[in-house]
């Protein structure tokens, strides 16, 4: 099988290395020799630490799609639009299967691209796009195919998980830990895609489609990142027996589908709470299989290339599957539920002056919004300085919490904006 690889950065180089090192093994396993015949990048002169001898170089990656010496296109450039999108479309229209690691592309254009692939009877594989080296797409698309999935959730961004784990272990604040993560290469110079939750949301949108057979709908994912998580919240979480994790959650409810990415308090004894550092984990709940848990490296040259190569091998071996496990024409556009409709328990941290009657005023607001408090604690005692009042609630609709916090923020004895973190029921 003749392969064109567009994008020879971290992942592209990893793919070249695996094909070099395991050529015979891969060929024995998938029944064909795998040969990279074409590559594309921006800088032809860059030393990439691997040999590109004998491979045709394309300055314009899209031209690779019409190269008769390329049977399969591997897109490892990135970005939801531009050359990555143009190349994938051109390849699929030319009847060539596509493998990509590009979550942004699949989250934004996945359904259209799947239609192109299905019309031609070819494959669009994207294992590396969700949780890097963890074969979660294959698990959802094939391994759990006999189940109706009720919920899929997980830690989908290693950078955020690294930062939250380090904050917990060192007691440091977000900004300081982010700088360390950047110095260590665990966070990008511009970390916004990761820490603001967008990267996890791309992956969640894809998981939602795989789980519920709906068109990919990235725009309706509720997204909240980890910038506002403070060392204080992490410390209080510990006291309540929780850890804080950035979770992506897709859940089917009677009203429709919830798709949300936000920090969560998770009980310390759950599998998800024990996923540390740059690792990713996904839990899928099926009606017959019950809970299944997948954990591993969600990024990096080796793990991501491992997933890309597995996708290439499926195509070489003739193993095909509809892009989202169900043909596009069979997909059902299930309504999405707004986050305000979410019913769950909440952690709330207020900053108030320790004056007589404050707790009574707070309790009155919660009573008026019909929010039942599970526990409440106050730290510090000083009439001159604001102190933290932290509480957890029983199950309530999110809209009620939002309303209550807006009222409390207006109190004379309130300082700053109250913090709220959802407590995950895992
Ligand atoms: N890195 C990971 O751990 C990881 C994990 C999961 C998924 N992914 C996904 O994998 C994809 C690739 O990521 P990466 O980390 O390998 O990125 P990267 O290291 O930045 O590499 C990107 C490659 O694309 C090339 N490129 C950029 N613009 C191009 C253009 N217009 N035409 C042709 N080539 C172009 C670059 O060429 P030059 O080298 O010449 O600049 C570079 O080789 C992305 O979609 C990413 O989201 C990455």
């Amino acid at each position: 099988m003749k392969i064109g690889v567009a994008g020879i950065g971290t992942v592209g180089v990893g793919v070249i290395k695996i094909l070099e090192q395991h050529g015979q093994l891969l060929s024995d396993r998938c029944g064909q020799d795998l040969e990279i015949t074409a590559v594309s990048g921006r800088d032809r002169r860059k030393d990439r630490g691997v040999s590109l001898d004998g491979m045709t170089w394309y300055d314009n990656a899209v031209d690779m799609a019409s190269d008769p010496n390329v049977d399969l296109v591997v897109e490892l450039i990135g970005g939801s639009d531009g050359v990555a999108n143009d190349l994938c479309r051109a390849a699929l229209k030319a009847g060539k299967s596509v493998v990509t690691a590009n979550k942004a592309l699949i989250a934004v254009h996945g359904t259209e691209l799947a239609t192109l692939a299905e019309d031609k009877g070819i494959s669009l594989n994207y294992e590396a796009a969700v949780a890097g080296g963890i074969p979660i797409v294959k698990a959802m698309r094939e391994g759990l195919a006999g189940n109706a999935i009720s919920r899929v959730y997980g830690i989908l961004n290693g950078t955020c998980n690294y930062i939250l784990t380090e904050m917990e272990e060192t007691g440091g604040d977000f900004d300081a830990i982010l700088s360390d993560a950047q110095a260590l290469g665990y966070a990008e110079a511009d970390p916004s895609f990761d820490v603001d939750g967008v990267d996890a949301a791309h992956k969640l949108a894809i998981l939602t489609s795989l789980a519920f057979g709906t068109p990919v709908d990235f725009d309706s994912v509720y997204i909240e990142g980890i910038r506002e998580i403070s060392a204080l919240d992490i410390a209080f979480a510990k006291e309540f027996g929780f850890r804080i994790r950035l979770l992506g959650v897709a859940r089917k409810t009677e009203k429709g589908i919830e798709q949300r990415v936000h920090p969560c308090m998770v009980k310390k004894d759950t599998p998800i709470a024990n996923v540390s550092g740059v690792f990713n984990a996904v839990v899928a709940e099926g009606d017959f299989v019950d809970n299944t848990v997948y954990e591993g490296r969600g990024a990096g040259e080796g793990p991501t290339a491992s997933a890309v190569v597995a996708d290439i091998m499926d195509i070489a071996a003739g193993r095909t599957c509809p892009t989202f496990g169900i043909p596009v024409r069979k997909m059902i556009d299930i309504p999405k539920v707004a986050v305000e409709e979410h019913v769950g328990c909440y952690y709330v941290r207020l900053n108030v002056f320790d004056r007589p009657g404050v707790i009574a005023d707070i309790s009155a607001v919660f009573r008026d919004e019909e929010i039942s408090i599970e526990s409440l604690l106050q730290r510090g005692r000083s009439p001159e300085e604001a102190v933290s009042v932290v509480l957890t609630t029983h199950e309530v609709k999110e809209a009620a919490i939002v309303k209550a916090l807006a009222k409390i923020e207006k109190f004379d004895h309130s300082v700053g904006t109250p913090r709220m973190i959802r407590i995950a029921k895992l």
Side-chain angles (χ1 to χ4, degrees):
M1 173 158 272
K2 291 169 178 160
I3 302 163
V5 179
I8 30 178
T10 305
V11 185
V13 165
V15 170
I16 294 173
K17 284 184 188 167
I18 298 181
L19 263 58
E20 251 174 34
Q21 278 185 40
H22 290 320
Q24 189 57 50
L25 179 70
L26 306 188
S27 158
D28 290 346
R29 284 183 174 161
C30 71
Q32 282 201 64
D33 287 342
L34 305 176
E35 185 195 355
I36 299 177
T37 52
V39 288
S40 177
R42 276 176 304 203
D43 181 357
R44 192 191 281 245
R45 287 174 301 277
K46 202 190 260 184
D47 178 9
R48 299 168 194 274
V50 287
S51 167
L52 305 180
D53 290 349
M55 302 173 193
T56 306
W57 176 276
Y58 282 98
D59 282 324
N60 181 359
V62 183
D63 292 343
M64 191 184 269
S66 49
D67 182 340
N69 209 28
V70 168
D71 305 318
L72 164 68
V73 166
V74 179
E75 184 280 302
L76 301 172
I77 294 171
S80 61
D81 290 287
V83 68
N85 188 18
D86 295 344
L87 169 64
C88 291
R89 275 170 205 275
L92 293 170
K93 283 182 182 161
K96 296 179 185 184
S97 288
V98 167
V99 171
T100 177
N102 190 337
K103 47 236 157 181
L105 175 75
I106 299 296
V108 176
H109 299 297
T111 316
E112 294 158 66
L113 294 172
T115 308
L116 287 178
E118 285 170 28
D119 285 351
K120 294 275 184 187
I122 53 178
S123 294
L124 168 60
N125 286 353
Y126 52 91
E127 183 62 76
V130 186
I134 306 174
I136 187 64
V137 174
K138 203 168 185 68
M140 300 286 295
R141 210 157 68 159
E142 298 168 52
L144 302 178
N147 292 265
I149 304 292
S150 50
R151 180 167 70 159
V152 57
Y153 63 90
I155 294 172
L156 301 172
N157 185 276
T159 305
C160 288
N161 209 52
Y162 173 82
I163 292 172
L164 292 171
T165 310
E166 284 294 299
M167 284 176 77
E168 187 185 333
E169 282 173 9
T170 65
D173 257 314
F174 173 82
D175 289 328
I177 305 283
L178 172 62
S179 300
D180 292 350
Q182 285 169 317
L184 289 166
Y186 293 149
E188 304 277 345
D190 176 1
S192 42
F193 243 53
D194 290 318
V195 300
D196 293 333
V198 179
D199 174 78
H202 282 145
K203 296 167 187 168
L204 184 75
I206 300 171
L207 284 176
T208 307
S209 272
L210 285 165
F212 306 121
T214 55
V216 200
D217 184 6
F218 170 68
D219 287 341
S220 70
V221 180
Y222 171 79
I223 311 175
E224 190 184 308
I226 62 165
R227 284 185 202 265
E228 301 298 323
I229 299 294
S230 69
L232 210 52
D233 293 319
I234 302 249
F236 280 122
K238 240 183 203 172
E239 274 192 53
F240 283 109
F242 292 116
R243 292 200 167 108
I244 300 178
R245 293 285 180 263
L246 182 77
L247 290 194
V249 184
R251 189 165 78 103
K252 206 171 191 178
T253 71
E254 281 172 9
K255 290 184 179 162
I257 290 174
E258 288 185 0
Q259 286 190 114
R260 44 196 171 84
V261 169
H262 51 71
C264 279
M265 295 269 178
V266 291
K267 276 273 176 224
K268 263 186 183 156
D269 56 1
T270 53
I272 279 290
N274 290 293
V275 176
S276 302
V278 293
F279 277 73
N280 281 195
V282 179
V283 180
E285 299 172 352
D287 53 353
F288 281 84
V289 72
D290 205 353
N291 279 11
T292 56
V293 184
Y294 311 82
E295 186 182 346
R297 292 191 180 273
E301 179 186 301
T304 313
S306 154
V308 171
V309 170
D311 275 350
I312 295 172
M313 289 170 73
D314 270 351
I315 293 165
R319 291 187 289 264
T320 59
C321 187
T323 307
F324 294 99
I326 184 171
V328 172
R329 70 191 145 75
K330 296 262 183 192
M331 283 181 162
I332 299 170
D333 201 356
I334 305 169
K336 305 299 177 311
V337 182
V339 75
E340 293 75 21
E341 295 291 313
H342 170 68
V343 175
C345 300
Y346 293 83
Y347 154 98
V348 171
R349 178 167 58 79
L350 310 168
N351 214 20
V352 292
F353 284 109
D354 183 18
R355 293 173 186 149
V358 172
I359 298 292
D361 289 349
I362 293 168
S363 304
V365 170
F366 277 73
R367 179 203 59 214
D368 293 348
E369 296 305 329
E370 297 181 29
I371 301 167
S372 154
I373 295 173
E374 190 204 20
S375 58
L376 184 145
L377 68 88
Q378 178 186 325
R379 269 297 126 82
R381 177 148 179 76
S382 155
E384 289 86 36
E385 277 178 48
V387 297
S388 291
V389 171
V390 178
L391 56 90
T392 58
T393 74
H394 287 293
E395 281 201 340
V396 61
K397 203 189 254 193
E398 181 148 334
I401 289 280
V402 171
K403 222 165 145 192
L405 297 191
K407 282 184 185 172
I408 291 170
E409 189 172 356
K410 289 195 189 120
F411 282 177
D412 285 345
H413 35 250
S414 256
V415 181
T417 306
R419 284 286 304 142
M420 173 271 272
I421 300 175
R422 298 164 190 87
I423 297 174
K425 192 175 172 186
L426 305 180

